[in-house]
Amino acid sequence: MKTDHDQFGISVVIPTFNRKEQLIRAVESVKTNRPNCVEIIVVDDGSDTYPKAFLPEMNASGVSVRVYGYKKNGGAQKARNLGIRRSKYRYIAFLDSDDAFFEKKIDTVLDSLSENPVDILFHAVKGMEKYAQLVDIWLKFFSWIIPLHWLITVFNPVVTPSLVVRRKQKLGLPLRFCEDWSYLLHYIEPNMTMKYLPENLSEVFRAVGSKGGISSAIWNMRKGEFYARSVLLKKNTFSNVIRFLFGSIFGGARILNDIVRLRYLK
């Protein structure tokens, strides 16, 4: 007998903290012609106003919206973990409350997963073109010798609003920096299947380096990268220890590069 978690579909998990207009935009960006295969789970991380006060029970596309929350702020990954636990469909898509999906995102992903079920799917993101360029280079020249679980030890090529994973009993560490990377390091296993879609299906509105955006506090991000990799040591296998050491060498090189460029003095 199938459980709810075996049902084909996508649960979109949106963590949020003190956002209203941006959150409404994110919720309404989840558009689909198959609302019976999609749900939105908003997890409030201790906002002043609980989102249930202004969010509908169903968005304009007919997708159900469920709201959960914490009274005290605990970070985005803690909120995502609750969303993962409350999700009911086979796949989980992640969306930050200040980002948005393109109109065709959900149906494109549903079609892709229906034709070719995989454990991990991600795609290009508008506003994060550098990541798409790096992934293209990896796929063309290096993926045959550097599988995803090794690549991600060095850097995270997956932008959060592009990530779709098969639902598993795996949660992330509630870190304040690089928590999405840590989740993937914990989630990805050597035998997992993946697919990359080269078209932009989501958009990030904050500029890289802007306040509250990606790498707005470079030193904290660098420390966060080491904390993120530490999740590998929790698996207590020789392969993961090697991956941790391998990634840490590159992490140290990035810090030296930052010092040479005086990035910590800006």
PDB file of all heavy atoms in Angstrom, residues 230-250:
ATOM      1  N   SER A 230      31.508  19.760   7.876  1.00  0.00           N
ATOM      2  CA  SER A 230      31.635  18.899   9.060  1.00  0.00           C
ATOM      3  C   SER A 230      30.544  17.843   9.121  1.00  0.00           C
ATOM      4  O   SER A 230      30.683  16.828   9.803  1.00  0.00           O
ATOM      5  CB  SER A 230      31.622  19.733  10.342  1.00  0.00           C
ATOM      6  OG  SER A 230      30.337  20.298  10.581  1.00  0.00           O
ATOM      7  N   VAL A 231      29.436  18.060   8.386  1.00  0.00           N
ATOM      8  CA  VAL A 231      28.373  17.059   8.373  1.00  0.00           C
ATOM      9  C   VAL A 231      28.869  15.744   7.785  1.00  0.00           C
ATOM     10  O   VAL A 231      28.351  14.660   8.108  1.00  0.00           O
ATOM     11  CB  VAL A 231      27.149  17.589   7.586  1.00  0.00           C
ATOM     12  CG1 VAL A 231      27.403  17.587   6.085  1.00  0.00           C
ATOM     13  CG2 VAL A 231      25.904  16.776   7.894  1.00  0.00           C
ATOM     14  N   LEU A 232      29.908  15.807   6.939  1.00  0.00           N
ATOM     15  CA  LEU A 232      30.471  14.589   6.355  1.00  0.00           C
ATOM     16  C   LEU A 232      31.068  13.684   7.430  1.00  0.00           C
ATOM     17  O   LEU A 232      31.043  12.461   7.307  1.00  0.00           O
ATOM     18  CB  LEU A 232      31.545  14.945   5.328  1.00  0.00           C
ATOM     19  CG  LEU A 232      31.062  15.665   4.063  1.00  0.00           C
ATOM     20  CD1 LEU A 232      32.260  16.145   3.246  1.00  0.00           C
ATOM     21  CD2 LEU A 232      30.182  14.754   3.229  1.00  0.00           C
ATOM     22  N   LEU A 233      31.626  14.293   8.474  1.00  0.00           N
ATOM     23  CA  LEU A 233      32.269  13.502   9.522  1.00  0.00           C
ATOM     24  C   LEU A 233      31.253  12.746  10.373  1.00  0.00           C
ATOM     25  O   LEU A 233      31.607  11.780  11.046  1.00  0.00           O
ATOM     26  CB  LEU A 233      33.125  14.407  10.405  1.00  0.00           C
ATOM     27  CG  LEU A 233      34.245  15.156   9.673  1.00  0.00           C
ATOM     28  CD1 LEU A 233      34.998  16.065  10.649  1.00  0.00           C
ATOM     29  CD2 LEU A 233      35.204  14.187   9.000  1.00  0.00           C
ATOM     30  N   LYS A 234      29.999  13.178  10.344  1.00  0.00           N
ATOM     31  CA  LYS A 234      28.968  12.508  11.130  1.00  0.00           C
ATOM     32  C   LYS A 234      28.622  11.139  10.550  1.00  0.00           C
ATOM     33  O   LYS A 234      28.060  10.294  11.238  1.00  0.00           O
ATOM     34  CB  LYS A 234      27.713  13.383  11.216  1.00  0.00           C
ATOM     35  CG  LYS A 234      27.931  14.698  11.963  1.00  0.00           C
ATOM     36  CD  LYS A 234      26.658  15.503  12.037  1.00  0.00           C
ATOM     37  CE  LYS A 234      26.877  16.811  12.777  1.00  0.00           C
ATOM     38  NZ  LYS A 234      27.257  16.603  14.187  1.00  0.00           N
ATOM     39  N   LYS A 235      28.953  10.933   9.265  1.00  0.00           N
ATOM     40  CA  LYS A 235      28.663   9.643   8.643  1.00  0.00           C
ATOM     41  C   LYS A 235      29.714   8.595   8.984  1.00  0.00           C
ATOM     42  O   LYS A 235      29.511   7.405   8.755  1.00  0.00           O
ATOM     43  CB  LYS A 235      28.550   9.820   7.124  1.00  0.00           C
ATOM     44  CG  LYS A 235      27.418  10.753   6.719  1.00  0.00           C
ATOM     45  CD  LYS A 235      27.317  10.871   5.217  1.00  0.00           C
ATOM     46  CE  LYS A 235      26.220  11.843   4.821  1.00  0.00           C
ATOM     47  NZ  LYS A 235      26.090  11.970   3.348  1.00  0.00           N
ATOM     48  N   ASN A 236      30.866   9.045   9.465  1.00  0.00           N
ATOM     49  CA  ASN A 236      31.899   8.149  10.009  1.00  0.00           C
ATOM     50  C   ASN A 236      32.324   7.066   9.023  1.00  0.00           C
ATOM     51  O   ASN A 236      32.389   5.882   9.354  1.00  0.00           O
ATOM     52  CB  ASN A 236      31.393   7.511  11.310  1.00  0.00           C
ATOM     53  CG  ASN A 236      32.535   6.912  12.121  1.00  0.00           C
ATOM     54  OD1 ASN A 236      33.667   7.392  12.045  1.00  0.00           O
ATOM     55  ND2 ASN A 236      32.232   5.877  12.887  1.00  0.00           N
ATOM     56  N   THR A 237      32.630   7.472   7.789  1.00  0.00           N
ATOM     57  CA  THR A 237      33.178   6.541   6.811  1.00  0.00           C
ATOM     58  C   THR A 237      34.490   7.109   6.277  1.00  0.00           C
ATOM     59  O   THR A 237      34.700   8.331   6.267  1.00  0.00           O
ATOM     60  CB  THR A 237      32.210   6.328   5.625  1.00  0.00           C
ATOM     61  OG1 THR A 237      32.068   7.560   4.899  1.00  0.00           O
ATOM     62  CG2 THR A 237      30.852   5.844   6.107  1.00  0.00           C
ATOM     63  N   PHE A 238      35.359   6.233   5.817  1.00  0.00           N
ATOM     64  CA  PHE A 238      36.664   6.676   5.321  1.00  0.00           C
ATOM     65  C   PHE A 238      36.498   7.619   4.131  1.00  0.00           C
ATOM     66  O   PHE A 238      37.192   8.643   4.026  1.00  0.00           O
ATOM     67  CB  PHE A 238      37.496   5.459   4.909  1.00  0.00           C
ATOM     68  CG  PHE A 238      38.844   5.814   4.350  1.00  0.00           C
ATOM     69  CD1 PHE A 238      39.866   6.239   5.190  1.00  0.00           C
ATOM     70  CD2 PHE A 238      39.080   5.728   2.983  1.00  0.00           C
ATOM     71  CE1 PHE A 238      41.117   6.579   4.675  1.00  0.00           C
ATOM     72  CE2 PHE A 238      40.320   6.062   2.458  1.00  0.00           C
ATOM     73  CZ  PHE A 238      41.343   6.487   3.310  1.00  0.00           C
ATOM     74  N   SER A 239      35.565   7.295   3.227  1.00  0.00           N
ATOM     75  CA  SER A 239      35.340   8.120   2.053  1.00  0.00           C
ATOM     76  C   SER A 239      34.936   9.539   2.430  1.00  0.00           C
ATOM     77  O   SER A 239      35.425  10.513   1.850  1.00  0.00           O
ATOM     78  CB  SER A 239      34.247   7.490   1.176  1.00  0.00           C
ATOM     79  OG  SER A 239      33.900   8.341   0.112  1.00  0.00           O
ATOM     80  N   ASN A 240      34.066   9.669   3.427  1.00  0.00           N
ATOM     81  CA  ASN A 240      33.612  10.999   3.825  1.00  0.00           C
ATOM     82  C   ASN A 240      34.701  11.782   4.546  1.00  0.00           C
ATOM     83  O   ASN A 240      34.748  13.010   4.449  1.00  0.00           O
ATOM     84  CB  ASN A 240      32.366  10.892   4.696  1.00  0.00           C
ATOM     85  CG  ASN A 240      31.128  10.621   3.877  1.00  0.00           C
ATOM     86  OD1 ASN A 240      31.012  11.052   2.741  1.00  0.00           O
ATOM     87  ND2 ASN A 240      30.188   9.883   4.449  1.00  0.00           N
ATOM     88  N   VAL A 241      35.563  11.090   5.279  1.00  0.00           N
ATOM     89  CA  VAL A 241      36.698  11.770   5.907  1.00  0.00           C
ATOM     90  C   VAL A 241      37.617  12.338   4.830  1.00  0.00           C
ATOM     91  O   VAL A 241      38.066  13.489   4.906  1.00  0.00           O
ATOM     92  CB  VAL A 241      37.481  10.810   6.830  1.00  0.00           C
ATOM     93  CG1 VAL A 241      38.791  11.459   7.297  1.00  0.00           C
ATOM     94  CG2 VAL A 241      36.627  10.431   8.038  1.00  0.00           C
ATOM     95  N   ILE A 242      37.878  11.550   3.779  1.00  0.00           N
ATOM     96  CA  ILE A 242      38.707  12.025   2.668  1.00  0.00           C
ATOM     97  C   ILE A 242      38.040  13.201   1.968  1.00  0.00           C
ATOM     98  O   ILE A 242      38.696  14.196   1.618  1.00  0.00           O
ATOM     99  CB  ILE A 242      38.974  10.877   1.666  1.00  0.00           C
ATOM    100  CG1 ILE A 242      39.781   9.759   2.346  1.00  0.00           C
ATOM    101  CG2 ILE A 242      39.709  11.405   0.442  1.00  0.00           C
ATOM    102  CD1 ILE A 242      41.122  10.203   2.873  1.00  0.00           C
ATOM    103  N   ARG A 243      36.738  13.117   1.766  1.00  0.00           N
ATOM    104  CA  ARG A 243      36.019  14.226   1.141  1.00  0.00           C
ATOM    105  C   ARG A 243      36.107  15.483   1.998  1.00  0.00           C
ATOM    106  O   ARG A 243      36.273  16.597   1.468  1.00  0.00           O
ATOM    107  CB  ARG A 243      34.549  13.845   0.917  1.00  0.00           C
ATOM    108  CG  ARG A 243      34.328  12.845  -0.217  1.00  0.00           C
ATOM    109  CD  ARG A 243      32.890  12.372  -0.250  1.00  0.00           C
ATOM    110  NE  ARG A 243      31.968  13.470  -0.485  1.00  0.00           N
ATOM    111  CZ  ARG A 243      30.666  13.422  -0.194  1.00  0.00           C
ATOM    112  NH1 ARG A 243      30.146  12.323   0.368  1.00  0.00           N
ATOM    113  NH2 ARG A 243      29.893  14.449  -0.444  1.00  0.00           N
ATOM    114  N   PHE A 244      35.989  15.318   3.301  1.00  0.00           N
ATOM    115  CA  PHE A 244      36.095  16.467   4.207  1.00  0.00           C
ATOM    116  C   PHE A 244      37.481  17.110   4.106  1.00  0.00           C
ATOM    117  O   PHE A 244      37.604  18.340   3.989  1.00  0.00           O
ATOM    118  CB  PHE A 244      35.826  16.029   5.645  1.00  0.00           C
ATOM    119  CG  PHE A 244      36.073  17.120   6.660  1.00  0.00           C
ATOM    120  CD1 PHE A 244      35.125  18.111   6.873  1.00  0.00           C
ATOM    121  CD2 PHE A 244      37.251  17.156   7.395  1.00  0.00           C
ATOM    122  CE1 PHE A 244      35.348  19.126   7.797  1.00  0.00           C
ATOM    123  CE2 PHE A 244      37.478  18.161   8.316  1.00  0.00           C
ATOM    124  CZ  PHE A 244      36.531  19.146   8.518  1.00  0.00           C
ATOM    125  N   LEU A 245      38.520  16.292   4.136  1.00  0.00           N
ATOM    126  CA  LEU A 245      39.886  16.822   4.047  1.00  0.00           C
ATOM    127  C   LEU A 245      40.133  17.463   2.687  1.00  0.00           C
ATOM    128  O   LEU A 245      40.744  18.543   2.599  1.00  0.00           O
ATOM    129  CB  LEU A 245      40.894  15.693   4.304  1.00  0.00           C
ATOM    130  CG  LEU A 245      40.884  15.089   5.715  1.00  0.00           C
ATOM    131  CD1 LEU A 245      41.833  13.905   5.781  1.00  0.00           C
ATOM    132  CD2 LEU A 245      41.260  16.138   6.750  1.00  0.00           C
ATOM    133  N   PHE A 246      39.654  16.809   1.639  1.00  0.00           N
ATOM    134  CA  PHE A 246      39.812  17.331   0.287  1.00  0.00           C
ATOM    135  C   PHE A 246      39.145  18.700   0.156  1.00  0.00           C
ATOM    136  O   PHE A 246      39.734  19.669  -0.356  1.00  0.00           O
ATOM    137  CB  PHE A 246      39.213  16.332  -0.707  1.00  0.00           C
ATOM    138  CG  PHE A 246      39.319  16.739  -2.145  1.00  0.00           C
ATOM    139  CD1 PHE A 246      40.528  16.690  -2.804  1.00  0.00           C
ATOM    140  CD2 PHE A 246      38.184  17.140  -2.843  1.00  0.00           C
ATOM    141  CE1 PHE A 246      40.622  17.054  -4.148  1.00  0.00           C
ATOM    142  CE2 PHE A 246      38.271  17.505  -4.176  1.00  0.00           C
ATOM    143  CZ  PHE A 246      39.491  17.462  -4.827  1.00  0.00           C
ATOM    144  N   GLY A 247      37.911  18.781   0.634  1.00  0.00           N
ATOM    145  CA  GLY A 247      37.186  20.049   0.559  1.00  0.00           C
ATOM    146  C   GLY A 247      37.809  21.122   1.435  1.00  0.00           C
ATOM    147  O   GLY A 247      37.821  22.303   1.066  1.00  0.00           O
ATOM    148  N   SER A 248      38.331  20.725   2.592  1.00  0.00           N
ATOM    149  CA  SER A 248      38.937  21.696   3.505  1.00  0.00           C
ATOM    150  C   SER A 248      40.191  22.322   2.919  1.00  0.00           C
ATOM    151  O   SER A 248      40.501  23.494   3.174  1.00  0.00           O
ATOM    152  CB  SER A 248      39.259  21.020   4.846  1.00  0.00           C
ATOM    153  OG  SER A 248      38.074  20.592   5.489  1.00  0.00           O
ATOM    154  N   ILE A 249      40.941  21.542   2.124  1.00  0.00           N
ATOM    155  CA  ILE A 249      42.120  22.086   1.452  1.00  0.00           C
ATOM    156  C   ILE A 249      41.705  23.222   0.504  1.00  0.00           C
ATOM    157  O   ILE A 249      42.309  24.297   0.489  1.00  0.00           O
ATOM    158  CB  ILE A 249      42.870  20.983   0.685  1.00  0.00           C
ATOM    159  CG1 ILE A 249      43.513  20.012   1.675  1.00  0.00           C
ATOM    160  CG2 ILE A 249      43.923  21.586  -0.246  1.00  0.00           C
ATOM    161  CD1 ILE A 249      44.109  18.783   1.020  1.00  0.00           C
ATOM    162  N   PHE A 250      40.658  22.982  -0.246  1.00  0.00           N
ATOM    163  CA  PHE A 250      40.164  24.021  -1.143  1.00  0.00           C
ATOM    164  C   PHE A 250      39.601  25.197  -0.345  1.00  0.00           C
ATOM    165  O   PHE A 250      39.741  26.357  -0.755  1.00  0.00           O
ATOM    166  CB  PHE A 250      39.093  23.451  -2.072  1.00  0.00           C
ATOM    167  CG  PHE A 250      39.653  22.728  -3.257  1.00  0.00           C
ATOM    168  CD1 PHE A 250      39.987  21.386  -3.174  1.00  0.00           C
ATOM    169  CD2 PHE A 250      39.866  23.386  -4.455  1.00  0.00           C
ATOM    170  CE1 PHE A 250      40.514  20.708  -4.263  1.00  0.00           C
ATOM    171  CE2 PHE A 250      40.394  22.717  -5.549  1.00  0.00           C
ATOM    172  CZ  PHE A 250      40.719  21.379  -5.456  1.00  0.00           C
TER     173      PHE A 250
END
